[in-house]
Every structure is written in structure tokens, then in C-alpha cells.
Amino acid sequence: MSTIQHGLIRSTLGTLVWALRGSEYNIPVMRRVADMGSFVFFMPSGVETEKVMVDHIDCEWIIPKKANHNKVFLYLHGGGYALGSKITHRALAAEIVRQAGFCALIPEYRLAPEFPFPCALNDAVRCYEWLLETGHDPKDIIVGGDSAGGGLALACLLKAKEMGLPMPAAQVLISPWVDLTVSKPSIYKYMDKTPMFYLREMKTWARNYADEEALDHLLVSPLYADLTGLPPMLLQMSDTEVLVDEDLELAERAKAAGIDVTLQVSEGLMHVWHIYWRYLDQAKEAITKIVAFVGEQAGK
């Protein structure tokens, strides 16, 4: 990685950390800073976007030139259920589907604290249901996301199962936040090594999202749910991020429930390092592995 590239990463992280560590917990400011900080995450070439509304949900299609339009990755962005948007995550989703030959659908699900649980979950499930209604074969759909979006993807599949909807081909979970009790040892062990996470904000995000529900509610913290019947899972994480303990436990619980789990643990990387795919070899490698998994599960 060049000095300029390293500087871009440090600058972006520094700006976001400044927002997160401000003297006031100002979510509107944090959202604006996150969107502005995404300037380094510009889109890959040969990819178009198209706005689409699914009921009240503002969504964006990511359409690579050579994509198979029948194949869809429903991508749920991260951001602690309070931040993030298609702006912050479209470049990552675009690079994944560009290589995979899929299209991606990114919903701007409703965010807490204005819209607490189950608003985001209902939006995610509605988008999956809409894909089925518009003729997409579940075998051609991948559901996934990063961080809170990864946890939301898992909860979406649990709710879809409860509703009797057919399961998609697979799920792709990137450093998913699946336990909002904020209680695992790795949170405290690696807090200082994970610049995007601070204990105060994690607990605030969790409570703002859960609202009046218990933090260990099975669709708020899907780590504790019955995972039986869910599709094959790709689970990627770093061994030095705050969520590693809950994600490793998720892998074990999923295997015990009979899910085909592909677990990939990278060494010494930041939370959701994938967003720096233009600059980090490790991010490029992780995306290559996602593409291989998606191709194996849903084909081209």
C-alpha cells in the first residue's frame, strides 16, 4: 500500500473517530460525517446504479455491465443500526457483485433511535419478500451484510423462516454484530485496537435499537436464536476486533444447528476492513473469497 493510500485510510478513520468521540452523542452529525467520509470508497468501473422504492423503503440497485440480472445479493449495510447508508456501502457491495456477476440491492432501512426495533428488521424482510414477489428464485438470492447489517441479515432470515418464506441460497456475514448485550470478553480486550468502536457508543446503539425489547431478544441478538433451517453461511472476521468472540460463538452455534458454515478468520485487521478493497491486499483477498463462496452457492 502506498503512502498516499495509507494516508487516505488514516484520514478517513480519523474523521470518523473524531465524530464518534465527540463530546456529544450527535447522531445526525455522525451520519453526515460517515457519508462524507465515504469519498474514498468510489465505485468500481463498469457499474451503474438505479433507484427503486420497495413500499416506503428507498433502495438502490447496483448493476454491473456483465451481471446476470436474475442473481441478486441483498446487501444490508452496517453502522450500529444508527448510521450508514447506500452512500457508505455501495462501493463495497458493487465490487463484490461486479466480480460475482450478480446485481445487488441495498435498502436504506430505517435507523434508530428514530425508528427502533423492529423497523429495520421489517424493512429487510420486506425487501427479501419483494425480491421473491418480483420473480427472483430464492436459489438465486444471497442475503448478507457487514457489522450491524450482518446481524440484521441473520435476523432477516430468522424472521423469513418464521413467516414460512423460502430460504435464499446462502448468507454472507462480514464481522456481524449478533449480540447486542455487549458482554463478550473480546469487546473489552480489543476495544483499544478497533478504532470504530467505543463502549459507550456500542451500548447506546444497542439500547436505541432494542428500545423496549430485551437486548437478548432473539431477533435483536440473533446469536441466541434457533438457527436450524437457515442456509449455508460464510462468516468473515478479524481475530483482533471486538466482535470476534460472538462471531466465533455464532459459527459454533450455526454448525450445531446443522448449517454448512465457512469460517474465515483474518489476522490483525480492523473491523470490516473490506471497505478498503482498493488499498488493502487483505480486503481484496476477502472479497475474492466472498465471490468464490457466492459462485459456489448460487452459481453464475
Side-chain angles (χ1 to χ4, degrees):
M1 180 171 59
S2 71
T3 301
I4 293 176
Q5 291 170 336
H6 188 264
L8 280 171
I9 292 175
R10 286 179 61 86
S11 174
T12 306
L13 282 175
T15 301
L16 294 175
V17 167
W18 170 82
L20 290 173
R21 280 208 156 172
S23 59
E24 297 182 6
Y25 186 71
N26 190 322
I27 289 179
V29 170
M30 294 165 73
R31 289 174 182 162
R32 289 196 295 272
V33 170
D35 283 353
M36 288 187 297
S38 65
F39 76 94
V40 298
F41 309 141
F42 49 93
M43 295 280 281
S45 60
V47 177
E48 297 180 350
T49 63
E50 180 180 311
K51 182 176 179 177
V52 62
M53 296 298 296
V54 178
D55 298 341
H56 64 277
I57 310 160
D58 183 9
C59 301
E60 184 172 82
W61 278 113
I62 306 292
I63 309 169
K65 286 184 178 179
K66 297 182 180 180
N68 181 338
H69 289 224
N70 294 321
K71 308 284 186 179
V72 178
F73 191 158
L74 176 59
Y75 193 93
L76 303 172
H77 68 78
Y81 294 105
L83 313 176
S85 66
K86 60 179 179 285
I87 295 174
T88 59
H89 286 73
R90 59 161 64 111
L92 172 57
E95 179 60 12
I96 293 171
V97 296
R98 184 190 69 80
Q99 293 189 34
F102 281 43
C103 294
L105 182 69
I106 306 180
E108 292 218 325
Y109 58 83
R110 288 170 290 175
L111 299 175
E114 300 93 329
F115 299 100
F117 176 84
C119 292
L121 175 61
N122 289 344
D123 290 352
V125 173
R126 178 62 192 128
C127 287
Y128 178 62
E129 190 176 36
W130 178 81
L131 287 173
L132 298 176
E133 291 172 357
T134 52
H136 292 278
D137 190 319
K139 295 179 181 179
D140 290 332
I141 301 173
I142 302 290
V143 175
D146 65 276
S147 197
L152 182 59
L154 182 58
C156 173
L157 295 181
L158 290 166
K159 185 63 177 180
K161 180 180 72 169
E162 180 183 304
M163 294 168 61
L165 297 176
M167 288 292 98
Q171 52 186 316
V172 174
L173 309 182
I174 300 171
S175 301
W177 190 21
V178 291
D179 181 8
L180 272 64
T181 67
V182 191
S183 59
K184 301 302 182 187
S186 62
I187 291 175
Y188 301 90
K189 182 177 181 181
Y190 295 119
M191 184 63 65
D192 292 340
K193 298 181 179 180
T194 308
M196 293 309 301
F197 278 94
Y198 300 98
L199 188 60
R200 176 173 66 93
E201 280 77 14
M202 286 188 71
K203 290 183 175 180
T204 300
W205 292 338
R207 178 45 61 198
N208 282 348
Y209 178 61
D211 196 30
E212 297 180 358
E213 290 289 353
L215 292 174
D216 62 355
H217 185 287
L218 300 184
L219 293 176
V220 172
S221 294
L223 173 66
Y224 303 110
D226 177 7
L227 304 176
T228 305
L230 297 192
M233 173 189 295
L234 172 63
L235 183 54
Q236 292 185 334
M237 72 198 77
S238 167
D239 65 349
T240 54
E241 63 170 304
V242 296
L243 304 182
V244 63
D245 281 353
E246 62 195 73
D247 288 349
L248 290 174
E249 183 176 337
L250 172 63
E252 292 305 313
R253 287 176 175 266
K255 290 175 183 177
I259 297 175
D260 181 4
V261 177
T262 300
L263 176 63
Q264 297 172 351
V265 183
S266 297
E267 296 182 0
L269 295 170
M270 68 187 76
H271 180 64
V272 193
W273 67 98
H274 307 62
I275 61 174
Y276 293 105
W277 56 267
R278 283 192 179 274
Y279 315 117
L280 294 178
D281 290 340
Q282 298 95 324
K284 295 175 184 177
E285 179 182 356
I287 289 176
T288 297
K289 291 178 179 178
I290 292 173
V291 171
F293 176 81
V294 166
E296 180 182 347
Q297 299 298 329
K300 292 187 177 182

